[in-house]
């Protein structure tokens, strides 16, 4: 079977870029990305490509090439489902905030709603592809929802988890380490797998397309994120030891990363990992392990999250201790609000939690991020519900200029590794600050010698 019409439900950080690249690489396939969020769809259709709802290097060029040709963004979900022979489900799967599995299990209500809508609308056979990250055996639940229609329409369910990293989404999509496709081993299952393989084969070598059974594919995505996050927590645990002993975590990372069995990636110590995926996917893994009575397995992976929480809190405590155990009324500038560089995504960003702890100490916080808007910063802080929105407004100010943000500050905390921070005129920043002027580098990106020569007191994570 040759795919001609693709529909993707969910125009978020995964659905948008993923489908843009499929459309760019497969000009003979029509790709329609749908969402219930009207504002998001309108932003994807904005004539000004700088207004796209997601910032990713290279994204606007890809959208510019394919949009209107064979890439469409729409709120008409039913029409897109009806027209498609392949439907990607790329909706959010946050951690449950209620009921059984609260704060651990993935909330599958958005996925189930999609399945019900597909079941209601579909009049011809479809291949349904799980693009969202889902707990192992979700395909079975989707299949059972879809098979209840009684109108003779047949569905094949595939698992095709996305491994892109925000900040490098477009290069990851163009040159993926692997494409993973899980499907049924039946004849029809194999046909569905082949149809999706053919889509990716337009730009990905067959050697990099891996086909497995559905359950292995679903579980592999959770395990990949758990292993990546585990490396961050491992090096972060060592950063605390480095600070206590006089070792330098950057030197330790380099030394161990040169061992080819360990490798150098994901070994940078930091204030902690963030993003919408690592924490939620590990919690999900922990929950699944517990469900099967594998408590030791659950405890093992939960520790990765506990270490991450500890790291964020340890960083905030360090600021407090260094500023003579009181930051009340002191201006502290936060540089970087996104959870990592080259994205405007702030979900679970370490900056939110560090700021929250400092606000609890009544610090006066100024914030600058090159890509995050003021409304987003306040939405993130208000969501925590630690203080009222009025109190947050009183204690926090968001700036569009880093020099203004740091003026009259006692300290600066670097919480995202944006490259531009390295190029600032640090002498000018120093001149505008109160003395002693401190820099707390939570991403270990600045040059100690340069800053100390200027007169800063420089504190680097892991050193
Ligand atoms: N963000 C990442 O880096 C990343 C990477 C790999 C995998 N994932 C996984 O991909 C999935 C999507 O993540 P995301 O970051 O794109 O989320 P997102 O929140 O950015 O986007 C999800 C979109 O789905 C829409 N939606 C929800 N229910 C809908 C419905 N019934 N009909 C139409 N639209 C609906 C929402 O309005 C939202 O715009 C998650 O399962 C996530 O774990 C994310």
């Amino acid at each position: 079977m040759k795919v001609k019409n693709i529909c993707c439900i969910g125009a978020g950080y995964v659905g948008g870029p993923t489908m843009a690249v499929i459309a760019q690489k497969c000009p003979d396939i029509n790709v329609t990305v749908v969402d219930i969020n009207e504002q998001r769809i309108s932003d994807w259709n904005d004539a000004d490509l700088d207004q796209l709802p997601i910032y990713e290097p290279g994204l606007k060029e890809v959208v510019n090439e394919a949009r209107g040709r064979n890439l469409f963004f729409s709120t008409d979900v039913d029409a897109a489902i009806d027209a498609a022979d392949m439907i990607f489900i790329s909706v959010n799967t946050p951690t449950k905030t209620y009921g059984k599995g609260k704060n651990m299990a993935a909330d599958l209500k958005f996925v189930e709603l999609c399945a019900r809508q597909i079941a209601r609308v579909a009049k011809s056979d479809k291949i349904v592809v799980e693009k969202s990250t889902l707990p192992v055996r979700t395909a079975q639940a989707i299949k059972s929802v879809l098979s209840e229609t009684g109108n003779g329409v047949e569905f094949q369910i595939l698992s095709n988890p996305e491994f892109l990293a925000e900040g490098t989404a477009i290069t990851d999509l163009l040159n993926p380490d692997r494409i993973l496709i899980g499907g049924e081993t039946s004849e029809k299952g194999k046909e569905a797998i082949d149809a999706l393989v053919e889509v990716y084969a337009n730009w990905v070598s067959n050697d990099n397309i891996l086909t497995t059974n559905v359950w292995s594919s679903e579980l592999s995505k959770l395990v990949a994120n758990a292993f990546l996050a585990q490396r961050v927590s491992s090096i972060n645990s060592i950063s605390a030891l480095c600070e206590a002993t006089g070792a330098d975590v950057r030197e330790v990372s380099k030394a161990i990363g040169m061992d080819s069995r360990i490798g150098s990636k994901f070994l940078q110590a930091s204030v902690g990992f963030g993003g919408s995926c690592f924490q939620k996917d590990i919690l999900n893994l922990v929950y699944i392990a517990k469900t099967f009575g594998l408590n030791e397995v659950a405890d093992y992976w939960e520790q990765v999250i506990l270490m991450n929480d500890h790291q964020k809190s340890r960083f905030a405590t360090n600021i407090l201790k260094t500023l003579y155990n009181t930051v009340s009324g002191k201006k502290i500038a936060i540089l970087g609000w996104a959870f990592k560089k080259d994205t405007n995504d702030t979900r679970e960003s370490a900056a939110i939690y560090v700021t929250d702890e400092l606000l609890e100490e009544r610090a006066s916080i100024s914030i600058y991020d090159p890509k995050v808007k003021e409304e987003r910063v306040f939405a993130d802080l208000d969501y925590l519900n630690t203080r009222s929105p009025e109190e947050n407004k009183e204690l926090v100010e968001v700036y569009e200029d880093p020099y203004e943000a740091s003026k009259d500050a006692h300290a600066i905390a670097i919480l995202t590794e944006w490259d531009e921070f390295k190029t600032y005129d640090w002498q000018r920043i120093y001149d505008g600050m109160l003395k002693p002027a401190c820099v707390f580098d939570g991403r270990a990106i600045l040059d100690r010698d340069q800053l100390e020569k200027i007169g800063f007191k420089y504190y680097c994570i892991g050193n």
Side-chain angles (χ1 to χ4, degrees):
M1 175 205 161
K2 209 169 168 54
V3 177
K4 292 204 182 65
N5 286 298
I6 286 178
C7 156
C8 173
I9 310 180
Y13 282 86
V14 168
T18 313
M19 293 301 128
V21 167
I22 290 185
Q24 185 199 34
K25 293 294 175 187
C26 313
D28 50 342
I29 300 180
N30 273 328
V31 180
T32 307
V33 191
V34 291
D35 206 296
I36 40 175
N37 183 333
E38 288 179 11
Q39 184 60 50
R40 233 181 195 179
I41 291 299
S42 141
D43 291 345
W44 278 113
N45 283 322
D46 204 304
D48 178 359
L49 289 162
D50 287 324
Q51 299 305 321
L52 294 183
I54 286 164
Y55 172 73
E56 275 292 336
L59 174 64
K60 65 180 179 184
E61 288 77 6
V62 178
V63 170
N64 192 33
E65 184 182 330
R67 197 175 62 182
R69 178 188 71 187
N70 64 326
L71 174 66
F72 307 95
F73 295 93
S74 163
T75 49
D76 193 344
V77 184
D78 282 1
I81 290 175
D82 186 33
D85 21 52
M86 182 175 271
I87 302 167
F88 286 79
I89 299 182
S90 193
V91 299
N92 35 332
T93 48
T95 305
K96 253 183 117 176
T97 51
Y98 54 88
K100 199 165 162 18
K102 181 178 171 180
N103 296 333
M104 280 220 157
D107 191 342
L108 298 180
K109 72 175 172 211
F110 303 110
V111 172
E112 188 179 331
L113 279 173
C114 289
R116 289 189 186 282
Q117 191 161 5
I118 296 169
R120 177 170 56 74
V121 172
K123 295 193 270 309
S124 56
D125 295 354
K126 317 256 179 224
I127 298 170
V128 176
V129 185
E130 301 174 345
K131 190 48 120 177
S132 298
T133 304
L134 296 170
V136 60
R137 301 203 81 87
T138 306
Q140 203 166 37
I142 295 181
K143 186 152 188 127
S144 94
V145 170
L146 291 175
S147 61
E148 296 302 315
T149 61
N151 61 4
V153 174
E154 283 196 30
F155 296 96
Q156 275 302 318
I157 322 291
L158 300 178
S159 159
N160 172 222
E162 185 48 60
F163 293 101
L164 68 79
E166 286 179 32
T168 52
I170 298 300
T171 39
D172 294 345
L173 287 164
L174 291 173
N175 308 294
D177 286 342
R178 78 311 208 178
I179 295 290
L180 179 59
I181 302 175
E184 281 182 15
T185 46
S186 63
E187 211 41 55
K188 291 228 160 120
K190 283 191 198 135
E191 275 172 29
I193 292 176
D194 287 346
L196 186 53
V197 167
E198 211 180 305
V199 173
Y200 283 111
N202 281 295
W203 78 98
V204 181
S205 138
N206 266 324
D207 296 342
N208 292 6
I209 303 180
L210 192 64
T211 58
T212 65
N213 77 33
V214 191
W215 324 126
S216 305
S217 171
E218 287 178 336
L219 186 59
S220 297
K221 173 64 194 175
L222 295 183
V223 174
N225 273 352
F227 269 62
L228 289 169
Q230 181 200 40
R231 280 176 74 96
V232 178
S233 275
S234 295
I235 198 68
N236 281 346
S237 74
I238 300 304
S239 74
L241 206 50
C242 286
E243 287 166 32
T245 57
D248 180 342
V249 77
R250 285 187 270 200
E251 292 176 351
V252 174
S253 290
K254 186 162 183 199
I256 63 166
M258 283 172 77
D259 186 327
S260 59
R261 294 166 302 178
I262 297 174
S264 60
K265 291 186 178 159
F266 266 74
L267 275 190
Q268 281 75 37
S270 71
V271 57
F273 60 74
S276 65
C277 293
F278 281 1
Q279 174 159 315
K280 123 179 129 56
D281 292 350
I282 295 175
L283 285 172
N284 193 354
L285 191 66
V286 168
Y287 182 72
I288 293 169
K290 281 197 173 146
T291 310
F292 287 102
L294 301 169
N295 292 329
E296 292 76 7
V297 176
D299 291 348
Y300 177 76
W301 287 106
E302 193 167 19
Q303 201 58 37
V304 172
I305 295 181
L306 297 180
M307 180 52 64
N308 197 48
D309 289 342
H310 172 66
Q311 187 76 346
K312 292 180 273 191
S313 183
R314 201 171 73 75
F315 186 80
T317 305
N318 197 20
I319 296 179
L320 181 67
K321 273 199 198 144
T322 309
L323 299 182
Y324 315 108
N325 284 316
T326 173
V327 290
S328 171
K330 290 181 182 168
K331 178 170 171 181
I332 300 175
I334 303 286
L335 295 189
W337 192 258
F339 84 91
K340 66 190 286 200
K341 73 173 180 179
D342 292 336
T343 176
N344 60 348
D345 194 350
T346 65
R347 290 178 288 183
E348 292 299 328
S349 177
I352 302 171
Y353 298 95
V354 170
T355 300
D356 187 51
E357 289 205 23
L358 295 173
L359 287 173
E360 280 307 275
E361 296 290 337
R362 311 307 290 172
S364 160
I365 301 286
S366 60
I367 295 166
Y368 167 77
D369 185 286
K371 291 286 172 202
V372 179
K373 297 192 175 129
E374 177 169 351
E375 310 88 88
R376 185 70 255 156
V377 171
F378 282 108
D380 289 337
L381 288 171
D382 294 348
Y383 184 76
L384 293 177
N385 229 349
T386 323
R387 288 159 305 279
S388 68
E390 293 72 31
E391 274 178 287
N392 285 332
K393 274 259 150 54
E394 206 177 288
L395 293 169
V396 177
E397 193 138 2
V398 180
Y399 289 83
E400 287 185 3
D401 176 84
Y403 298 94
E404 281 301 311
S406 51
K407 197 162 177 304
D408 296 326
H410 290 257
I412 291 177
I414 307 280
L415 296 182
T416 312
E417 69 280 24
W418 287 104
D419 288 332
E420 66 168 60
F421 297 166
K422 296 183 215 166
T423 66
Y424 287 172
D425 180 349
W426 282 96
Q427 179 69 54
R428 186 177 153 205
I429 290 180
Y430 179 80
D431 291 343
M433 287 175 67
L434 299 180
K435 310 294 178 311
C438 303
V439 170
F440 296 88
D441 188 349
R443 296 283 167 181
I445 55 166
L446 299 178
D447 182 340
R448 173 184 290 280
D449 288 347
Q450 184 206 352
L451 292 189
E452 286 185 343
K453 212 184 275 168
I454 291 171
F456 280 107
K457 286 175 152 230
Y458 176 72
Y459 303 90
C460 183
I461 199 98
N463 180 213

